[in-house]
Amino acid sequence: MPNSILDTKKAAAYLNLSSHTLDKWRWSGGGPKYLKLGRSIRYCQDALDRFISESIRHHTSEGAQQK
């Protein structure tokens, strides 16, 4: 499936992070975009890939890319 929908655990594994990190990012307003379907949180794989691309830095003093 080109644009898989992943639960928090699978999304965290895809990003090589803990699901707790994604939980904290959602609470603080950071991290990748997500879907809320009823009580379920889901992540589109495309959104995770976009988050990865937007997080690439060339040096430590570089800030987030401006949109």
Side-chain angles (χ1 to χ4, degrees), residues 8-10 12-13 17-24 26 43:
T8 301
K9 186 175 179 179
K10 289 179 183 176
L17 298 169
S18 73
S19 56
H20 182 68
T21 298
L22 288 178
D23 294 341
K24 288 193 309 187
R26 276 196 318 274
Y43 293 86

Side-chain angles (χ1 to χ4, degrees), residues 2-40:
N3 189 14
S4 298
I5 307 275
L6 307 173
D7 63 20
T8 301
K9 186 175 179 179
K10 289 179 183 176
Y14 185 79
L15 295 172
N16 198 26
L17 298 169
S18 73
S19 56
H20 182 68
T21 298
L22 288 178
D23 294 341
K24 288 193 309 187
W25 283 349
R26 276 196 318 274
W27 184 81
S28 68
K33 292 184 178 183
Y34 63 92
L35 302 165
K36 182 151 184 176
L37 304 170
R39 294 183 185 183
S40 299

